[in-house]
Structures are given as structure tokens and as C-alpha cells.
Amino acid sequence: MTSADGTLMRDDDQPRGRLLELVGGIEPWDGQERVHIETAARWIAGGAPVYRVRRPDVPAMHLVSYFVVLDDTRGRQLLVAHRKAGLWLPAGGHVEPGEDPWVTVVRECREELGIEAAASPITGEFPFFLTVTRTRGLGVHTDVSLWYLLTAGADTITSWDRGEFDAVRWLTDEQVLAEPAEVLDPHLHRFTRKLQHARTGRQQSG
């Protein structure tokens, strides 16, 4: 494959370029997110495989799309009790080879929650947060997770993937922050503080 300027391009150059744009567009919330963004950018640009090709841990570092569903009328976010992780997490899934991470969100939202993905006005179809996390349990690996924001009324989610989740809960930001960190995704408190800040900024600008 040849680019417009005649240079040879690998088959995955365009998806990698898109991933680098998405990662570079995230405004880091704190020093830890800045380090994670820099780590993800180096990993993508360095040519390492970025998509999972075999469950649960090949390659040992791979890309995930999380999506946090927000019920803005009630100021709540949806968390799921993930069976394998044993933690309360946002819903999400692994990005398929060559797939745009937003397409992953659309697909997984339909499969896991039975609704169509509707992007939050806070970010649109772009990631809001990024984490690099070592998983626990069998098949330990590293997830590079792009966190997207969706919007939906709590009453629109009437079923969920019971093979993946034990339960679902709608919590306010304050309730999430009151939960013990050890029962949540390790970055969920930081995500929630960033979300609170973004919501406050929208209210002030509005």
C-alpha cells in the first residue's frame, strides 16, 4: 500500500494513526493520566500489536473500549458487576483488529446492555479518559482502555448480558466516590472526579 506522497505504508498505518489521534486528543486529568497517555502513544507508535487476537492475554498488552452510560437527568452513571474481574466496572469490550474503538462501543453496548449507543454531549464520539491497567486473576495482561461517555435514561436499560455481569447499578458521582476503591476498577474514582469537573464546566459555560 502506498500513501499519497509515494511512501510505503503498512496495512495497519491508518488505524494506528487514528488511534494516535484519539489518544492525543484526551486532556489528561492528572499526572497519572498524563503518564498513561504517553505510555499508550509510545506503544501504538512503536509498532507493537495493539489488538487482542486470542483470549485472554495474547498479546500481553491490548486495546479496550470502556463506555460509561450517564443518566444526566438523575446525575447517575451505570456500573456493572463483572464476573471475571470481580469488580464494579463500566461496560466495555476488546477492540477487534482494525476496528475503530467507537465502533467497539456501539457493538458492545448493543450486545451487553441491549441499547443503541448515544454519545454524550460532553465528548461526542471521542474518548474522555485513558488508563493502562494490569489485570488480575487468570491470564494476567495489560489493558489500554479508552473510556467513552454515553447518555441514556436509566429506564431504557431493562436487560443486560448475564453471562458477563452479575448485576448492574446506577450510582451518583458521590456514591461512586464513597465506594471502597478495592471493589471498583482501580481508576474509577479518578474518572469520576474528572467527570464531575467536566460537568461543572459545562454548567458554567451554559
Side-chain angles (χ1 to χ4, degrees):
M1 181 176 175
T2 305
S3 68
D5 64 0
T7 58
L8 188 65
M9 296 177 65
R10 295 183 315 216
D11 289 341
D12 66 350
D13 277 349
Q14 288 183 317
R16 276 182 200 275
R18 171 63 173 164
L19 291 175
L20 286 170
E21 287 178 4
L22 292 174
V23 169
I26 300 170
E27 185 69 30
W29 167 244
D30 55 15
Q32 186 171 356
E33 189 175 14
R34 183 173 291 104
V35 169
H36 285 187
I37 289 171
E38 291 170 353
T39 298
R42 285 196 303 270
W43 170 65
I44 295 166
V50 297
Y51 305 106
R52 189 182 71 173
V53 295
R54 189 167 73 248
R55 298 181 183 218
D57 57 354
V58 179
M61 188 168 177
H62 49 253
L63 195 64
V64 169
S65 284
Y66 266 168
F67 49 94
V68 183
V69 183
L70 307 176
D71 180 345
D72 291 323
T73 60
R74 298 175 178 87
R76 296 187 293 177
Q77 58 177 282
L78 181 71
L79 298 182
V80 301
H82 197 278
R83 289 181 182 272
K84 289 183 180 178
L87 298 170
W88 287 95
L89 311 169
H94 292 86
V95 181
E96 297 293 337
E99 185 176 53
D100 187 275
W102 172 253
V103 175
T104 309
V105 170
V106 173
R107 172 173 52 78
E108 293 286 344
C109 187
R110 189 181 298 122
E111 292 175 1
E112 295 185 348
L113 301 178
I115 63 170
E116 295 300 318
S120 167
I122 295 174
T123 53
E125 298 177 3
F126 296 94
F128 174 74
F129 191 60
L130 184 146
T131 57
V132 179
T133 309
R134 189 80 169 156
T135 65
R136 61 188 203 176
L138 295 175
V140 173
H141 58 275
T142 299
D143 284 340
V144 177
S145 302
L146 298 169
W147 297 48
Y148 289 80
L149 303 181
L150 304 182
T151 183
D155 56 353
T156 65
I157 297 178
T158 57
S159 64
W160 60 89
D161 185 345
R162 295 179 185 273
E164 292 271 353
F165 314 138
D166 285 319
V168 302
R169 296 169 70 192
W170 288 95
L171 299 176
T172 65
D173 294 345
E174 291 74 17
Q175 287 172 326
V176 173
L177 293 172
E179 287 287 314
E182 58 268 20
V183 306
L184 304 173
D185 177 283
H187 306 289
L188 196 59
H189 282 172
R190 295 174 47 249
F191 161 81
T192 300
R193 293 189 183 97
K194 185 176 184 180
L195 178 62
Q196 285 181 316
H197 180 76
R199 282 173 162 160
T200 300
R202 280 182 59 81
Q203 290 167 359
Q204 290 175 347
S205 64

